[in-house]
Each structure stands twice: as C-alpha cells, then as structure tokens.
Amino acid sequence: MLELERQLNIYLSNTLEVIPENELREKIANSIIKRKPLKIKLGLDPSAPDVHLGHTVVLNKLKQFQENGHIIQLIIGDFTGKIGDPTGKSSARNQLTDEEVKRNAQTYFEQFGKVLDMEKVELHYNSKWLSKLDFEDIIHLSSKITVARLMERNDFTNRMAKGIPIHLHEFFYPLMQGYDSVVLESDIELGGTDQHFNLLMGRHLQEHFGKEKQVVLMLPLLEGLDGVEKMSKSKKNYIGIDEDPNQMFGKIMSIPDELIIKYFELLTNLSLEEKEKIRNGILNGSLHPRDAKAYLSKCIVSTYHGDEAARKAEKNFNTVFQKGQLPEDIPVVKWSGNREVSIVNLLVDLGMQKSKSDARRMIKNGGIRINTKKVTDINLIVTIDDEMVLQVGKRKFIKLKL
Amino acid sequence: MLELERQLNIYLSNTLEVIPENELREKIANSIIKRKPLKIKLGLDPSAPDVHLGHTVVLNKLKQFQENGHIIQLIIGDFTGKIGDPTGKSSARNQLTDEEVKRNAQTYFEQFGKVLDMEKVELHYNSKWLSKLDFEDIIHLSSKITVARLMERNDFTNRMAKGIPIHLHEFFYPLMQGYDSVVLESDIELGGTDQHFNLLMGRHLQEHFGKEKQVVLMLPLLEGLDGVEKMSKSKKNYIGIDEDPNQMFGKIMSIPDELIIKYFELLTNLSLEEKEKIRNGILNGSLHPRDAKAYLSKCIVSTYHGDEAARKAEKNFNTVFQKGQLPEDIPVVKWSGNREVSIVNLLVDLGMQKSKSDARRMIKNGGIRINTKKVTDINLIVTIDDEMVLQVGKRKFIKLKL
C-alpha cells in the first residue's frame, strides 16, 4: 500500500492533530481499494466572505485532497445566517437576507477558485435540511447530547464561570454544524484548532445517528502581520487574497522573520522537499531572511495573481523600498497655484497632510521628500517645477504637472 | 369591591403561594369590571390518566374558579407523550399512540366530570401548536431563556451536582409547558409545589413574547395513606376517585390522624365555616378522630359516588371492621367435595390460599376464621355445613352452599 502511505504523508504534513489517525488510515485505504472518493467537509460562515491568507491554510489542505481525487463539500451555514442572533446582542450575528447569503457564497466561490478546482467542488446550503426539522426532530437531535458535554466548550465554560449569560439557542450552533456532517455523511472535516469542539460534534452525532464517524483534521492557525494574533479581518493584521499584487508583496515582506518558515509551510504549494530545503537554509544561515521573504512573497503573489504579476510586484518593491527610487506609476496632479509656495501649505493643498501642524510634524520626523531628497526645514519655500515628485512616508507619492 | 374580596378569599384558601398576589387581585378586578372571564390553566400528563384524591386538590380549586364564571383550560401534553423519551432511559416516558392519548384524555374527562362541569371546560392538545414549530421558531423560543436559569430547576441542579447526565432535550419540557401559556394566553396557572419552576416558565415566556404574564397559584401536595409521601400511583399510597365506595371508605378510614384536617380542607366541598368548625373540634378534643374520619370518608365517597353509596359504605365498614360481623354480600360457592376435609386442603381447593404452606402460615398468624371463629389448629378437620362462612384476613369471604 505505497499509495496509502503517499497520501497519508501529504495529509499529515502541517496537520496539528488527527482524531483519530488510525481511522484516517482506514478511510484512505478503503477509498483506494473500493476506488471511492472520500467526502471532505469544510463549513463556511456566510457573513464574512472576505478570504485572507489565514483561510488558505485549510484551502491548501483541501486542495491536496482534491488533487488525489476526493470530493470537497463546502457548506454555507446560511441557516444560522438567516436567523441571526435572536437576542439582538451579538453584533457578529447580523441577520442576512437570501440575497446577501447568495452574494457572499458567490464571493467565496470566486476567491476559493484561486486555490481549488471549483467545478469539482460540492456546494451545500445547510438551510436545505435544517429548515425542515420540526420540534420532534429537534427533540431527537437534542437527546443525543448532554448539557455537561456542551458546557465543556471553552467559551461556554468561561462564560458560565464569569456569570455571563448563555442563552439556550447558543447550544444549537455546534449541534447544527455536527448535524450537517450527519446529513452529508462526511468522511473528514477540516478546521482550525479553535474549531476543536465543533468538529468533534460531527463525530459524536454521526455515531448517534448510526453513521460512520468522520475523522477530524485540525490545522494550525496562522498568525497575522503582527506575528502574534491569529490573522483576522477585525484585527487588521491580514492579507486578503484579493489584494493587489504590490500591496500583497509589500505586506508579506513586512512579516517578522520568525514566521517565514511557517508561512512557507502553510501558504505555498512548494513540494515537501523544497520546503525542507528552505527551512534548512534559514536555520543554518545560508539563506538570508530578506531573500527568503522575497521568494515567499513571489510564491504567494504568483498563486493569486500569476507569475508575471509576481515578477512586477517584486520589481516595484525593490524600486520603492530598497533602492530609494521612485515607483513606476505615480498619480499625477495638475498644479495651477503659485509657483512659489511654502512646503507646509503645499502638502495641505495637495491633500497629502490633513493640517499644517500634521505637515510640520511629518517634516520634523523626516517623512517628507521632494524628488527623493529629504526636507528638513519646516519653513522651506518650494519653487514648483514640472514633474516635481512629492513623497510622504514610504508609499504616498504625487507628481506635479504644470 | 366586595365581589373582588369575596373571590380572592376563596382562591387564597388552602393556596400555598400566589406569584404575585397583587397581579391576581388586578386580574380578578379587571375581569369583574370588564365582565370578562379569566382563563385558568391546568396541564395534564397524558400518560397517567388514573385520577386519585391527590389530583383533586387542584380540581377543587379549579371548581372554585369555574363556579365564579371563569374558563378552565385543560391542556393535554400529548406532544411530549407522542415523542416519549428519545433516549429510551426513562420508563416514565413511554411513547404513546394517537389512540392512547385520546383514550387517556377521555379517562381524564370522565373522571374530572365528577368535580367540574365539563361542558364549560376548554380541552386543548398541545401538539396542535408544538408540532408546527420549525427549527427557526425553536431557536427563537430558546433564545428567551438562559442555561443558568434552566439549571436552577431543582432536579437539574441535583443531577448536575451528582454527575448524572442531563440530555439537552430535557431542557425543552419546561419550555413547552411555558409556551402553552403563551399560545393560550392563560391568566392563571395552577399546580403543586413540585411544579414551581415549570409554572414560572409560563410567566417568563409570556413576558418575552409580549403577552400579559400569568399568575401562578401553588397548591399543597397531598400526602398519601402512609401520611409521609406525596400521594401517587407508583407509591401505592393512593385512593383513586374511581375506586368502589367500600374500598374508598376503608382507605380513608386508615389515614393517620394528623392528616384529617388537611384532608377535610383539601378534599371536601364543605364551606369555609364548616371546615373551621371541624378543625376546632379536632384540636380541642370535642370531635373524636374516629368520628371525624368517618364523616370525612362519607363526605368524599358522597362526592364521587353519591349520598346513598356513602351511607352504604359506612354501614359496610362498621359491620366488617368494627363489630366483627359479616358483610352483606359474600360470594357463594357450591361445595360438591367431601363433607370432611382438612382446613389446609379446603383453603387451597377454594382458591383462598395459593398453597398448603401459605394456608398453614395464615392459620398460624390467626388470619383464618370459620363462621367468625378463629382457627388455631393447622391440622383441623372441618365438617362442611350449609352456609358455612370462611374468612381470610379482613376482607376475603366465601360462603359454602351444599
């Protein structure tokens, strides 16, 4: 069973935990023998469709399964999305209309298409089965789980301990996610370590409904640009997969060195051998972190925007940030004011600074350049020339046209 | 508002707790002013239709409301009855068929007719509305209550403390009972003190669904024949309201003296003045407990079987248990065996004892009489006479006919 070991090796790479590994082995072996693809489930929150690199950790794992002929089941959790938060207290649970759900699902679909072959992916809306359950069905569903077990979920335990109310309907969110696995007869469910409890619920309910239990693959969470917190939109430490190539390249170049290896492992499609080579190079010092990051940035930009865009983004980055040269595409502003003007007034008139005091502060901090030359005098009177370039900080440029 | 005080006085008699009393006062006042009857709710378990005197405590209270023109809402909890216990662990929650539910409801109806005017009673089956709730409705219903609040219910608290599993669906039973009050817009709900939590749930949910809150009247639980435990079928300490007059009379005569006053208060329809007179008589010793019990028995038997039957039952009781005489209607058996027969064989042949050893034991215990004379010799040879009466224990008689 060379094929079994080959697949297992791929799926286990970068996977933090498999529950349980022997069942994963059995499922893969069975699928090879019976030539029957496995069903690999991923649940999606219909309210937050902006996909960033943090999400691609799991997408890359799905891609590995897809490349080996297995079926990807994407579940849009539209049922809860349409209900929202009945208490009205959670801002995270806004009520979504049918139209919003469809639009958000479409956004997922387009963005996931950059990693997965979407023609082979199954897309499911869980309202299809959940909205049909009646009270009797729900009594039966609820009878499969104890209150004590539900209270074990970290956030419930913590809230109970702190006396923060848990409303009864909140117990149903993990149950719904688990019930989706019952209906879809999923073989494997993927998720981040923060989904530990919810992923196991699928196993639990499948067993109680007489189905084969799914295997759970727990993947690492990706730290964001700050190198500390989990990458997320609300933390503003994220890199969206739809961001333009220059921005994406620049953001990746800004990550702390400690994250380089992890980003290579989780975010690129390099082979296991290539990844090992890079890891060794960084650890033994033969590969400079700056070069490693440049290669990382190129790999990732290339995945989402193509090789040509990646090449250009690298060139742009080098021009602006390294050689101190000007970038290629600077916005041009037609200047029709006095040719002689104070630097402070000029910055405010062009909208490059909000106020004169802001402008003065920026000059004092060395953040203002004219034709790449740093301005030091806050009282400087500038004589405007055609094609004169003003620069604020590292990324804001304006070229004046007379 | 003399009428208000008059009604209030009646409803408060024997009522342990009103939650809250000022709202009860308001509701009655409103109903008098607007000439609009109040809706008085009582929930019934469809699985145990045998009505005993313990149930009549609440029935007598309902009767008082009915006599003052209010509407009685009887709710058959058939929804849960039809589901049963999905875990299969609770023997108390057998799954009932539609037919069984209807038959049990019919039994209630017939038996309650001995106390209430059933033509004026509203009968509801809660499956009518509960079976129509879908998952979204249930999410909304569940969002009205916190887990902490549900855990406050005594049995949940105790089980959690002892580590006995509580399955999630169990949380729904109190919610359903409360939701019935929302749908039926009940003004007042009655129940025993053991229903404290469930009755308050109705108030809680009505408020969260924007309805006027029901008032809760908590009535005392009735101790059974043992004088200790709550009267219940499973404890075998009950007096069914369908039991025959002699049996009912005898059972009431057997209650401990300490219960006489409580039984008078809760189980008879005597006026408040008459009840007070009896109470005083017992407390100051002018009324002998035996006479009080005989009067109590007569009152109760009369309620369920009529005055004539009560009179006969009293006479029968006095004949058999007090004067040691024979009762009036003894079953007659034609004897065609030997005229000379051992007492042990005779008892077994007549089916009055299961075995010879049982018969011998009963003789030794002094439980066998021939023509009211105690048999002491286990080897006695009896000579059968026409009209000879054999007696086993206090209540089993056979008259032989040659």
Side-chain angles (χ1 to χ4, degrees):
Chain A
M1 297 242 58
L2 270 176
E3 171 59 11
L4 168 60
E5 297 304 330
R6 188 191 64 79
Q7 284 195 33
L8 205 52
N9 212 26
I10 293 172
Y11 305 146
L12 292 181
S13 71
N14 299 320
T15 296
L16 280 186
E17 199 183 350
V18 180
I19 306 174
E21 199 171 314
N22 67 317
E23 288 182 23
L24 176 62
R25 180 179 283 274
E26 269 171 42
K27 278 184 187 266
I28 297 170
N30 265 328
S31 107
I32 294 169
I33 293 164
K34 297 183 182 161
R35 297 175 187 278
K36 207 180 146 213
L38 296 174
K39 296 174 196 157
I40 320 297
K41 177 190 169 198
L42 178 68
L44 299 170
D45 175 356
S47 64
D50 280 284
V51 180
H52 55 63
L53 289 184
H55 298 112
T56 67
V57 175
V58 75
L59 287 185
N60 289 332
K61 186 57 70 185
L62 283 180
K63 186 190 179 75
Q64 295 171 344
F65 280 102
Q66 192 178 54
E67 284 172 344
N68 285 291
H70 302 296
I71 295 168
I72 309 303
Q73 302 177 316
L74 294 182
I75 327 289
I76 307 279
D78 68 326
F79 182 68
T80 44
K82 284 182 205 163
I83 293 173
D85 175 29
T87 64
K89 280 173 196 158
S90 160
S91 57
R93 287 205 182 273
N94 288 325
Q95 208 166 346
L96 302 175
T97 62
D98 275 353
E99 205 180 287
E100 285 168 317
V101 167
K102 287 262 184 272
R103 198 169 52 228
N104 291 349
Q106 184 59 29
T107 309
Y108 272 126
F109 216 73
E110 282 161 13
Q111 297 185 74
F112 281 20
K114 296 184 174 178
V115 179
L116 298 171
D117 177 352
M118 295 307 282
E119 288 195 2
K120 290 184 187 158
V121 162
E122 284 182 8
L123 188 66
H124 300 277
Y125 294 85
N126 70 0
S127 65
K128 189 177 165 189
W129 49 85
L130 292 180
S131 65
K132 281 184 197 134
L133 297 183
D134 66 17
F135 207 167
E136 180 164 355
D137 297 325
I138 288 155
I139 295 282
H140 278 274
L141 176 57
S142 313
S143 74
K144 313 289 189 200
I145 187 85
T146 66
V147 173
R149 175 77 183 265
L150 285 161
M151 291 302 300
E152 282 168 13
R153 202 171 85 163
N154 274 343
D155 57 333
F156 289 150
T157 312
N158 293 340
R159 282 163 62 191
M160 202 61 154
K162 287 182 193 157
I164 301 169
I166 302 163
H167 288 84
L168 180 57
H169 69 289
E170 300 182 67
F171 276 0
F172 281 106
Y173 297 124
L175 278 180
M176 289 177 196
Q177 183 169 341
Y179 189 69
D180 292 346
S181 296
V182 173
V183 172
L184 294 175
E185 301 185 331
S186 310
D187 287 302
I188 296 174
E189 183 165 4
L190 304 193
T193 50
D194 52 350
Q195 288 286 307
H196 189 274
F197 184 92
N198 293 348
L199 297 175
L200 287 180
M201 189 59 75
R203 260 178 86 72
H204 178 89
L205 289 182
Q206 282 174 323
E207 183 175 18
H208 279 80
F209 278 92
K211 307 266 182 180
E212 189 180 313
K213 284 180 283 182
Q214 69 183 17
V215 167
V216 166
L217 254 66
M218 227 94 68
L219 296 169
L221 297 177
L222 188 76
E223 289 87 356
L225 299 175
D226 54 3
V228 181
E229 300 247 42
K230 173 188 167 190
M231 185 178 282
S232 87
K233 210 182 169 187
S234 60
K235 292 275 180 348
K236 296 191 175 167
N237 62 355
Y238 73 105
I239 307 169
I241 69 170
D242 256 357
E243 289 191 43
D244 80 62
N246 289 344
Q247 215 168 348
M248 192 181 251
F249 198 102
K251 279 188 174 180
I252 300 169
M253 289 304 290
S254 80
I255 63 167
D257 290 353
E258 302 83 57
L259 284 183
I260 300 174
I261 294 175
K262 189 167 184 186
Y263 269 48
F264 262 111
E265 308 237 312
L266 298 176
L267 303 180
T268 69
N269 293 316
L270 300 176
S271 69
L272 298 183
E273 293 73 24
E274 285 173 290
K275 286 178 181 176
E276 199 180 343
K277 220 170 113 187
I278 290 164
R279 191 188 315 119
N280 291 337
I282 291 171
L283 294 175
N284 68 26
S286 65
L287 178 58
H288 191 281
R290 213 217 65 88
D291 298 332
K293 262 195 255 186
Y295 184 44
L296 174 68
S297 304
K298 234 171 132 179
C299 285
I300 295 175
V301 174
S302 164
T303 302
Y304 298 103
H305 297 284
D307 293 343
E308 175 61 15
R311 202 195 48 74
K312 275 194 187 164
E314 184 178 28
K315 197 178 160 206
N316 178 70
F317 182 85
N318 289 338
T319 310
V320 180
F321 293 97
Q322 292 198 280
K323 300 181 189 152
Q325 290 175 6
L326 297 176
E328 286 172 2
D329 47 350
I330 296 176
V332 174
V333 172
K334 173 89 183 150
W335 182 256
S336 50
N338 287 340
R339 293 283 296 274
E340 306 273 313
V341 59
S342 78
I343 178 68
V344 169
N345 283 340
L346 180 61
L347 288 168
V348 174
D349 286 353
L350 288 170
M352 294 179 94
Q353 290 290 294
K354 280 189 185 156
S355 67
K356 292 185 183 181
S357 54
D358 280 357
R360 277 188 285 267
R361 195 175 309 117
M362 191 52 100
I363 295 165
K364 281 178 190 160
N365 291 336
I368 304 297
R369 287 168 191 265
I370 295 175
N371 294 335
T372 76
K373 224 186 126 222
K374 199 179 280 177
V375 176
T376 50
D377 178 5
I378 59 168
N379 298 313
L380 179 70
I381 302 298
V382 184
T383 304
I384 309 288
D385 280 328
D386 195 35
E387 302 250 318
M388 174 186 269
V389 171
L390 281 142
Q391 181 177 354
V392 175
K394 281 193 173 172
R395 298 189 200 179
K396 214 190 276 178
F397 299 89
I398 281 183
K399 186 182 281 180
L400 295 179
K401 202 82 191 169
L402 287 178
Chain B
M1 296 242 54
L2 269 176
E3 172 60 10
L4 168 60
E5 298 304 329
R6 188 190 64 79
Q7 285 196 33
L8 205 52
N9 211 26
I10 293 172
Y11 306 145
L12 293 180
S13 71
N14 299 321
T15 297
L16 280 186
E17 199 182 350
V18 180
I19 306 174
E21 201 171 315
N22 66 317
E23 287 182 25
L24 175 62
R25 180 178 284 273
E26 269 169 43
K27 277 182 187 268
I28 298 170
N30 265 327
S31 106
I32 295 169
I33 294 166
K34 297 184 183 161
R35 297 176 186 280
K36 206 179 146 211
L38 296 173
K39 296 173 194 159
I40 321 296
K41 176 191 169 197
L42 179 69
L44 299 170
D45 175 357
S47 64
D50 280 285
V51 180
H52 55 63
L53 290 183
H55 298 112
T56 67
V57 175
V58 76
L59 287 185
N60 289 332
K61 186 56 69 184
L62 284 180
K63 186 190 179 76
Q64 296 172 342
F65 280 102
Q66 192 178 55
E67 284 173 343
N68 285 291
H70 302 296
I71 296 169
I72 309 304
Q73 302 177 316
L74 294 181
I75 328 287
I76 307 279
D78 68 326
F79 182 69
T80 44
K82 284 182 205 164
I83 293 174
D85 175 30
T87 64
K89 281 171 195 159
S90 159
S91 58
R93 286 205 183 272
N94 288 325
Q95 207 166 346
L96 302 174
T97 63
D98 275 353
E99 205 180 289
E100 285 168 317
V101 167
K102 287 262 184 271
R103 198 169 53 229
N104 290 350
Q106 184 59 29
T107 310
Y108 271 126
F109 215 73
E110 283 162 11
Q111 296 185 74
F112 280 21
K114 295 185 174 177
V115 179
L116 298 172
D117 177 353
M118 295 308 281
E119 288 195 4
K120 291 185 188 157
V121 162
E122 284 182 10
L123 188 66
H124 300 277
Y125 294 85
N126 69 1
S127 64
K128 189 177 164 192
W129 49 86
L130 292 180
S131 66
K132 281 184 196 135
L133 296 183
D134 65 17
F135 206 167
E136 180 164 355
D137 298 325
I138 288 154
I139 294 281
H140 278 273
L141 176 58
S142 313
S143 73
K144 314 288 190 200
I145 187 87
T146 65
V147 174
R149 175 76 185 266
L150 285 160
M151 291 301 300
E152 282 168 13
R153 201 171 86 163
N154 274 343
D155 58 333
F156 290 150
T157 311
N158 293 340
R159 281 163 63 190
M160 202 61 155
K162 285 181 192 156
I164 302 169
I166 303 163
H167 288 84
L168 180 56
H169 70 289
E170 299 181 68
F171 275 181
F172 281 107
Y173 297 123
L175 278 181
M176 290 177 197
Q177 184 169 341
Y179 189 69
D180 292 345
S181 296
V182 173
V183 173
L184 294 175
E185 301 185 330
S186 310
D187 288 301
I188 296 173
E189 183 165 4
L190 305 193
T193 49
D194 52 349
Q195 287 287 308
H196 190 274
F197 183 90
N198 293 348
L199 298 176
L200 287 180
M201 190 59 76
R203 261 179 85 72
H204 178 87
L205 289 182
Q206 282 175 321
E207 183 175 17
H208 279 79
F209 278 92
K211 308 266 184 181
E212 189 181 312
K213 286 179 283 181
Q214 70 183 16
V215 167
V216 166
L217 253 67
M218 228 94 70
L219 296 169
L221 297 176
L222 189 77
E223 290 87 354
L225 300 174
D226 52 5
V228 181
E229 301 246 41
K230 173 188 166 188
M231 184 178 282
S232 87
K233 209 182 170 188
S234 60
K235 292 279 180 347
K236 295 192 175 166
N237 62 355
Y238 73 104
I239 307 168
I241 69 171
D242 256 358
E243 289 190 42
D244 80 62
N246 289 343
Q247 215 166 347
M248 192 180 252
F249 198 102
K251 278 189 175 180
I252 300 169
M253 288 304 290
S254 79
I255 64 167
D257 290 351
E258 302 82 57
L259 283 184
I260 301 175
I261 293 175
K262 189 167 184 184
Y263 269 47
F264 261 111
E265 307 237 313
L266 298 177
L267 304 179
T268 69
N269 294 317
L270 300 177
S271 68
L272 298 183
E273 294 74 26
E274 284 174 291
K275 286 177 181 177
E276 199 180 342
K277 217 171 115 184
I278 290 165
R279 190 186 318 119
N280 291 337
I282 291 172
L283 294 176
N284 68 25
S286 66
L287 179 59
H288 191 280
R290 213 216 65 90
D291 297 332
K293 263 196 255 187
Y295 184 45
L296 174 67
S297 304
K298 234 172 133 179
C299 283
I300 295 174
V301 173
S302 164
T303 301
Y304 300 103
H305 297 284
D307 293 344
E308 176 62 15
R311 201 195 47 76
K312 276 193 185 165
E314 184 177 27
K315 195 176 164 205
N316 178 70
F317 182 86
N318 289 338
T319 310
V320 180
F321 294 98
Q322 292 198 285
K323 302 181 189 154
Q325 290 176 2
L326 297 176
E328 286 173 2
D329 47 352
I330 296 176
V332 174
V333 172
K334 173 90 185 153
W335 183 255
S336 51
N338 287 340
R339 293 284 297 272
E340 305 274 310
V341 59
S342 78
I343 177 67
V344 168
N345 283 340
L346 180 61
L347 288 168
V348 174
D349 284 353
L350 288 170
M352 295 180 91
Q353 290 290 291
K354 279 189 186 156
S355 67
K356 292 186 182 180
S357 55
D358 281 354
R360 276 189 286 267
R361 196 175 310 117
M362 189 54 98
I363 295 165
K364 280 178 191 161
N365 291 337
I368 304 295
R369 287 169 188 265
I370 295 175
N371 294 335
T372 78
K373 221 183 129 224
K374 200 179 281 179
V375 177
T376 50
D377 178 5
I378 59 168
N379 298 314
L380 179 71
I381 301 297
V382 184
T383 305
I384 308 287
D385 279 329
D386 196 34
E387 302 250 318
M388 173 185 272
V389 172
L390 282 142
Q391 181 177 356
V392 176
K394 281 192 173 175
R395 300 189 200 181
K396 215 190 275 179
F397 298 89
I398 280 181
K399 186 181 282 182
L400 295 178
K401 202 83 192 167
L402 286 176

Coordinates of all heavy atoms in Angstrom, one line a residue, chain A residues 169-194:
Chain A
H169 N -30.4 28.9 22.9 CA -30.3 28.7 21.5 C -28.8 28.6 21.1 O -28.5 28.0 20.1 CB -31.0 29.7 20.7 CG -30.3 31.1 20.8 ND1 -30.3 31.9 21.9 CD2 -29.6 31.8 19.9 CE1 -29.7 33.0 21.7 NE2 -29.2 32.9 20.5
E170 N -27.9 29.1 21.9 CA -26.5 29.1 21.5 C -26.0 27.6 21.5 O -25.0 27.3 20.8 CB -25.7 29.9 22.5 CG -26.1 31.4 22.4 CD -25.2 32.2 23.4 OE1 -24.0 32.4 23.1 OE2 -25.7 32.7 24.4
F171 N -26.6 26.8 22.3 CA -26.2 25.4 22.3 C -26.5 24.7 21.0 O -25.9 23.6 20.7 CB -27.0 24.6 23.4 CG -26.4 24.7 24.8 CD1 -25.3 25.4 25.0 CD2 -27.1 24.0 25.8 CE1 -24.7 25.5 26.3 CE2 -26.5 24.1 27.1 CZ -25.4 24.8 27.3
F172 N -27.3 25.3 20.1 CA -27.6 24.7 18.9 C -26.6 24.9 17.8 O -26.6 24.1 16.8 CB -29.0 25.1 18.4 CG -30.1 24.4 19.1 CD1 -30.8 25.0 20.1 CD2 -30.3 23.1 18.9 CE1 -31.8 24.3 20.8 CE2 -31.3 22.4 19.6 CZ -32.0 23.0 20.5
Y173 N -25.8 25.9 17.9 CA -24.9 26.2 16.8 C -23.9 25.0 16.6 O -23.8 24.5 15.5 CB -24.2 27.5 17.0 CG -25.2 28.7 16.9 CD1 -25.3 29.6 17.9 CD2 -26.0 28.8 15.8 CE1 -26.2 30.7 17.9 CE2 -27.0 29.9 15.8 CZ -27.1 30.8 16.8 OH -28.0 31.8 16.8
P174 N -23.3 24.5 17.7 CA -22.4 23.3 17.4 C -23.2 22.1 17.0 O -22.8 21.3 16.2 CB -21.7 23.1 18.8 CG -22.4 23.9 19.8 CD -23.1 25.1 19.0
L175 N -24.5 22.0 17.5 CA -25.3 20.8 17.1 C -25.6 20.9 15.6 O -25.6 19.9 14.9 CB -26.6 20.8 17.9 CG -26.6 20.2 19.3 CD1 -27.9 20.3 19.9 CD2 -26.1 18.8 19.2
M176 N -25.9 22.1 15.1 CA -26.2 22.2 13.7 C -25.0 21.8 12.8 O -25.1 21.1 11.8 CB -26.5 23.7 13.3 CG -27.9 24.1 13.9 SD -28.1 25.9 13.5 CE -29.4 26.3 14.6
Q177 N -23.8 22.4 13.2 CA -22.6 22.0 12.4 C -22.4 20.5 12.4 O -22.1 19.9 11.4 CB -21.4 22.8 13.1 CG -20.1 22.5 12.3 CD -19.0 23.5 12.8 OE1 -19.2 24.5 13.4 NE2 -17.8 23.1 12.4
G178 N -22.6 19.9 13.6 CA -22.5 18.5 13.6 C -23.5 17.7 12.8 O -23.2 16.7 12.1
Y179 N -24.7 18.2 12.8 CA -25.8 17.6 12.1 C -25.6 17.7 10.6 O -25.9 16.7 9.8 CB -27.2 18.2 12.5 CG -28.3 17.5 11.9 CD1 -28.7 16.2 12.4 CD2 -29.1 18.0 10.9 CE1 -29.7 15.5 11.9 CE2 -30.2 17.3 10.4 CZ -30.5 16.1 10.9 OH -31.6 15.4 10.4
D180 N -24.9 18.7 10.1 CA -24.5 18.8 8.7 C -23.7 17.6 8.3 O -23.9 17.1 7.2 CB -23.7 20.1 8.4 CG -24.5 21.4 8.6 OD1 -25.8 21.3 8.7 OD2 -23.9 22.5 8.7
S181 N -22.8 17.2 9.2 CA -22.0 16.0 8.9 C -22.8 14.7 8.8 O -22.5 13.8 8.0 CB -20.9 15.8 9.9 OG -20.0 16.9 9.9
V182 N -23.9 14.7 9.6 CA -24.8 13.5 9.6 C -25.5 13.4 8.2 O -25.5 12.4 7.6 CB -25.8 13.6 10.7 CG1 -26.9 12.5 10.6 CG2 -25.2 13.6 12.1
V183 N -26.0 14.6 7.8 CA -26.8 14.6 6.6 C -25.9 14.3 5.4 O -26.2 13.6 4.5 CB -27.5 16.0 6.4 CG1 -28.1 16.1 5.0 CG2 -28.5 16.2 7.5
L184 N -24.7 15.0 5.4 CA -23.8 14.8 4.2 C -22.9 13.6 4.3 O -22.1 13.4 3.3 CB -23.0 16.1 4.1 CG -23.8 17.4 3.7 CD1 -22.8 18.6 3.8 CD2 -24.4 17.3 2.4
E185 N -23.0 12.9 5.4 CA -22.1 11.7 5.5 C -20.7 12.0 5.2 O -20.0 11.2 4.5 CB -22.7 10.5 4.7 CG -24.1 10.2 5.1 CD -24.7 9.0 4.3 OE1 -24.2 8.7 3.2 OE2 -25.6 8.3 4.9
S186 N -20.2 13.1 5.8 CA -18.8 13.5 5.6 C -17.8 12.5 6.2 O -18.1 11.9 7.2 CB -18.6 14.8 6.2 OG -19.6 15.7 5.8
D187 N -16.7 12.3 5.5 CA -15.7 11.3 6.0 C -14.7 12.1 6.8 O -14.1 11.5 7.7 CB -15.0 10.7 4.8 CG -15.9 9.6 4.1 OD1 -16.3 8.7 4.8 OD2 -16.1 9.8 2.9
I188 N -14.4 13.3 6.4 CA -13.3 14.1 7.1 C -13.8 15.5 7.2 O -14.4 16.0 6.2 CB -12.0 14.0 6.2 CG1 -11.5 12.5 6.2 CG2 -10.9 14.9 6.8 CD1 -10.3 12.3 5.3
E189 N -13.6 16.1 8.3 CA -13.9 17.6 8.4 C -12.6 18.3 8.8 O -11.8 17.9 9.7 CB -15.0 17.8 9.4 CG -15.3 19.3 9.4 CD -16.7 19.7 10.1 OE1 -17.3 18.8 10.7 OE2 -17.0 20.9 10.1
L190 N -12.4 19.4 8.1 CA -11.2 20.2 8.4 C -11.6 21.5 9.2 O -12.7 22.0 9.1 CB -10.5 20.7 7.1 CG -10.1 19.7 6.1 CD1 -9.2 20.3 5.0 CD2 -9.4 18.5 6.7
G191 N -10.6 22.0 10.0 CA -10.8 23.2 10.7 C -9.6 23.6 11.5 O -8.7 22.9 11.6
G192 N -9.7 24.9 11.9 CA -8.6 25.4 12.8 C -8.7 24.8 14.2 O -9.7 24.2 14.5
T193 N -7.7 25.0 15.0 CA -7.7 24.4 16.3 C -8.8 25.1 17.2 O -9.3 24.5 18.1 CB -6.3 24.7 17.0 OG1 -6.0 26.1 16.9 CG2 -5.3 23.8 16.4
D194 N -9.2 26.3 16.8 CA -10.3 26.9 17.5 C -11.7 26.3 17.3 O -12.7 26.6 17.9 CB -10.4 28.4 17.2 CG -10.4 28.7 15.7 OD1 -10.2 27.8 14.9 OD2 -10.7 29.9 15.4

